[in-house]
Amino acid sequence: MLALQARALSKTYRKAKRPALDGVDLDVASGQIFTMLGRNGAGKTTFLRIASTQLLPSSGSITVLGLDAVKQAKELREKIAMTPQEAETVYPLTPRDHVLLSLRMRGMEKAEAEKRAQRALDDLELSDVADTNSDWLSGGLKQRVIVAMALRTDAELIYLDEPSIGLDPLSRRKVWDQLTLLKKTGKTIILTTHYMDEAEALSDNLVIIDKGKVVASGTPRSVKAAVTSRATRVDVFDKFTQNELEAYGHVVSIAGRHRVLTDADGARKLGDTAVERGASIAIAPVTLDDVFVDIVGESEKEEEHEG
Ligand SMILES: Nc1ncnc2c1ncn2[C@@H]1O[C@H](COP(=O)(O)OP(=O)(O)OP(=O)(O)O)[C@@H](O)[C@H]1O
Ligand SMILES: [Mg+2]
């Protein structure tokens, strides 16, 4: 069953030169963790705001949990929860107050809300600070409070807009664990992130959005496999110029280090030449990170050509 279906969904903000969303078709199966990737300004938050009934699309349709997100917004709101990007804790409420409030506002009965709040606080390792002023918490702890607010609601579908921003590596994994556990209870989770390893570890399916359009979609594995012509990466540490490397594949150079995205044949040829020269290289399969840079970087180049 589908939890979300968008068709030709577009949004142009008032006075904007180009659309923030431009004909997006997207299916999310229920019970999945679905991730949206894309550069800053790609349109991810715009999509989530429309899907969570906070913003109206300019055209196209979007159905969430079988309800029209525009015409049946009120009914839909009861079935979804959202952690907005850049949400902030409120002075002088405690973490417990925050989580309780978010549950009570959804109409949950007090005793049940208290039980669930405690659980959400435990799950995100916030019990020690549960009753202190949120203002005293570090940025990462505040962010965990924000995620905790959405964790134990009765919503069938949860949107999380950059849930792991500002979290240390261990806290991020804590959040991943919780999202995976939530999924096991049958909920659908739609999130955005700029961490490719997170997308790779967590998602059943993902999309890459670029300038308001879906440019890649599928499982992390299939998205990587879709660029078979560049399924291998070769890091070249010395003895090659960028120009020379262009002959072997697509070169991404950052801070004087060259990474060549290429196919098996290209990697072999480059490997041979490197051995002859005594150069240091490292060969590995591409990661989602490479695929992202490849797909999105390519569209950037085209734009430069167009002027
Ligand atoms: N309220 C608004 N009014 C006008 N333009 C907006 C508004 N909100 C977003 N935009 C524009 O719409 C485009 C998409 O923005 P959006 O916030 O959806 O991107 P995003 O993918 O979430 O980016 P990020 O990764 O930085 O959060 C951008 O060009 C942005 O400037
Ligand atoms: Mg955003």
Side-chain angles (χ1 to χ4, degrees):
M1 216 189 84
L2 284 182
L4 183 150
Q5 181 175 60
R7 287 292 174 269
L9 194 71
S10 297
K11 174 72 189 180
T12 305
Y13 287 102
R14 254 188 331 147
K15 294 185 188 157
K17 263 195 241 143
R18 57 157 105 185
L21 285 180
D22 192 359
V24 168
D25 292 329
L26 201 145
D27 290 335
V28 181
S30 50
Q32 288 206 333
I33 297 184
F34 185 91
T35 305
M36 305 182 80
L37 301 171
R39 298 203 57 190
N40 293 133
K44 304 176 297 294
T45 297
T46 301
F47 183 88
L48 291 191
R49 290 185 63 212
I50 294 173
S52 59
T53 78
Q54 300 169 56
L55 185 72
L56 290 172
S58 305
S59 61
S61 68
I62 176 159
T63 309
V64 182
L65 302 171
L67 298 168
D68 186 312
V70 176
K71 294 190 194 107
Q72 296 171 292
K74 201 156 164 275
E75 281 165 87
L76 178 56
R77 271 178 213 137
E78 290 174 12
K79 297 173 176 246
I80 57 174
M82 164 119 171
T83 296
Q85 186 173 9
E86 286 159 7
E88 283 179 19
T89 53
V90 190
Y91 173 85
L93 300 184
T94 66
R96 189 187 307 280
D97 294 334
H98 278 85
V99 181
L100 255 178
L101 201 65
S102 103
L103 297 173
R104 293 283 281 153
M105 269 166 44
R106 301 181 63 87
M108 197 177 283
E109 174 261 321
K110 190 154 175 273
E112 175 71 12
E114 278 169 357
K115 207 170 73 193
R116 288 193 188 216
Q118 184 59 52
R119 204 165 140 209
L121 293 163
D122 288 343
D123 287 342
L124 288 174
E125 290 179 351
L126 290 163
S127 337
D128 290 351
V129 294
D131 300 302
T132 58
N133 184 334
S134 299
D135 254 18
W136 302 344
L137 302 180
S138 73
L141 282 171
K142 283 180 185 160
Q143 179 59 20
R144 266 147 67 182
V145 174
I146 299 294
V147 174
M149 289 171 72
L151 208 57
R152 293 285 161 228
T153 65
D154 47 9
E156 289 170 44
L157 191 161
I158 302 172
Y159 301 106
L160 298 146
D161 201 352
E162 297 194 32
S164 56
I165 192 136
L167 298 188
D168 69 63
L170 291 176
S171 304
R172 274 172 66 204
R173 276 163 185 76
K174 200 84 257 158
V175 170
W176 300 0
D177 285 347
Q178 291 307 322
L179 296 182
T180 308
L181 287 173
L182 264 189
K183 180 179 99 162
K184 287 197 179 131
T185 68
K187 302 200 179 210
T188 307
I189 294 156
I190 301 182
L191 64 104
T192 73
T193 182
H194 288 294
Y195 297 114
M196 298 299 143
D197 58 336
E198 180 162 303
E200 208 157 352
L202 264 185
S203 339
D204 296 299
N205 278 283
L206 60 88
V207 283
I208 300 178
I209 302 225
D210 191 40
K211 302 188 192 86
K213 289 191 163 84
V214 173
V215 291
S217 66
T219 62
R221 188 193 286 252
S222 75
V223 167
K224 282 190 288 177
V227 282
T228 43
S229 59
R230 292 163 180 171
T232 306
R233 75 176 195 211
V234 186
D235 286 327
V236 180
F237 301 102
D238 55 12
K239 296 183 183 156
F240 281 90
T241 65
Q242 181 171 348
N243 263 346
E244 274 178 291
L245 292 171
E246 303 278 1
Y248 297 94
H250 176 67
V251 185
V252 181
S253 298
I254 294 166
R257 290 255 309 258
H258 305 305
R259 175 167 287 180
V260 185
L261 303 177
T262 183
D263 57 9
D265 199 41
R268 231 173 268 128
K269 283 187 184 137
L270 179 51
D272 287 347
T273 315
V275 171
E276 280 162 24
R277 289 193 197 177
S280 306
I281 64 166
I283 301 180
V286 291
T287 63
L288 195 55
D289 207 90
D290 298 315
V291 171
F292 182 89
V293 171
D294 194 38
I295 293 177
V296 177
E298 206 56 29
S299 96
E300 200 109 303
K301 272 192 196 158
E302 280 162 23
E303 186 146 284
E304 280 163 24
H305 279 295
E306 286 164 15

